[in-house]
Amino acid sequence: MTIFMTYGSSLEKKVLSTLVLVMVLLSSISLFAYTGAEPMKIKTPFLLTNVGQGTGRKMMEAQFLATKTFKKSVDFASNAEPGKENSMNKDLTDEKGNPYTALVAVIGSTAKGLGASGISIDDEIARVEKMVKEAKNLKMPIIAIHIEGQVRRGDSANEKSIDVIAPYADYLVVTKDSNFDGKFTKIAKEKNIPLTVLDNQLEIQKIIKFWFENK
């Protein structure tokens, strides 16, 4: 009986130690809720821009800075794009001479944003078409993101903003409520584009850490 109880106690300790180790390992992993394609890795420095003159680009910029591991103008150039001469060096490298590795484009349009920019949605679409063409010429991957849900869906400006870039992206990231009607799923299937669907906006910083875990 004594031997059995001693063995049992030792086994319990081993099980407990194993559970603690598993919990520690899980806590160190950037877990997040998503469906679809496994998020791709992205290297710095990268370009961050908007499609539609909405608030999404500023939201993503804030999310990058909130991680405390990204520095604006060092790890990424904001409101910048290939073909926009005043946004970066003409040789498409950062201040240290490192080439920009990707174009992160956040989709979403607002009348206020267009008005502040002094352009129409058709002007914006023309700008994005040029940007996409330039990125393709440079073989620069396009990561298209839609994170503001149904509030940035449905009207002509927002749907045009999606249509001008999503079918040409190399990787799509959206939230469930952005994809409520399955539009992004359909585009991804038709164009064979990896699509990651986040459960909600709370997962954004987690996926950012996954994208750049080797930063």
Side-chain angles (χ1 to χ4, degrees):
M1 179 65 69
T2 302
I3 295 175
F4 174 77
M5 290 189 68
T6 302
Y7 175 77
S9 177
S10 176
L11 180 61
E12 288 173 356
K13 288 179 180 179
K14 289 181 179 179
V15 171
L16 181 60
S17 296
T18 301
L19 288 174
V20 171
L21 178 59
V22 170
M23 290 175 68
V24 170
L25 289 173
L26 286 176
S27 67
S28 66
I29 300 174
S30 179
L31 297 175
F32 53 97
Y34 72 91
T35 57
E38 179 176 329
M40 67 181 287
K41 302 296 184 182
I42 305 171
K43 296 180 180 179
T44 57
F46 60 93
L47 306 176
L48 179 64
T49 191
N50 60 64
V51 176
Q53 298 299 321
T55 58
R57 191 262 306 170
K58 291 183 179 179
M59 288 176 61
M60 282 301 296
E61 180 179 315
Q63 293 285 355
F64 280 117
L65 297 177
T67 65
K68 305 296 184 182
T69 60
F70 293 89
K71 293 183 178 180
K72 189 176 178 180
S73 301
V74 175
D75 295 305
F76 66 94
S78 189
N79 197 25
E81 64 204 56
K84 189 175 180 180
E85 293 184 3
N86 63 350
S87 64
M88 67 196 76
N89 297 334
K90 289 184 178 180
D91 59 356
L92 289 173
T93 58
D94 66 6
E95 295 175 353
K96 296 181 180 179
N98 299 312
Y100 290 107
T101 62
L103 174 65
V104 179
V106 190
I107 308 168
S109 184
T110 65
K112 183 177 180 180
L114 290 168
S117 300
I119 61 175
S120 68
I121 186 60
D122 291 332
D123 294 330
E124 173 67 355
I125 296 307
R127 177 190 73 85
V128 176
E129 287 177 339
K130 179 181 178 182
M131 178 180 74
V132 169
K133 182 179 180 180
E134 188 67 20
K136 293 297 183 182
N137 288 338
L138 295 167
K139 300 187 184 306
M140 179 181 287
I142 298 173
I143 295 88
I145 302 174
H146 194 292
I147 56 173
E148 294 183 83
Q150 291 190 48
V151 70
R152 296 288 176 260
R153 289 293 317 277
D155 62 278
S156 177
N158 277 296
E159 297 308 310
K160 284 183 177 180
S161 296
I162 294 170
D163 295 339
V164 74
I165 194 166
Y168 308 99
D170 297 284
Y171 172 43
L172 287 167
V173 181
V174 302
T175 55
K176 276 186 177 179
D177 54 347
S178 291
N179 193 40
F180 71 95
D181 58 353
K183 177 168 183 170
F184 288 99
T185 300
K186 182 179 179 181
I187 292 173
K189 287 182 177 179
E190 288 180 349
K191 301 297 182 179
N192 195 28
I193 303 170
L195 167 67
T196 300
V197 182
L198 303 179
D199 274 13
N200 52 62
Q201 285 190 11
L202 298 177
E203 309 301 319
I204 293 172
Q205 280 199 32
K206 296 177 185 178
I207 195 174
I208 286 174
K209 291 176 181 178
F210 186 94
W211 285 342
F212 301 96
E213 66 178 2
N214 296 320
K215 181 185 174 304

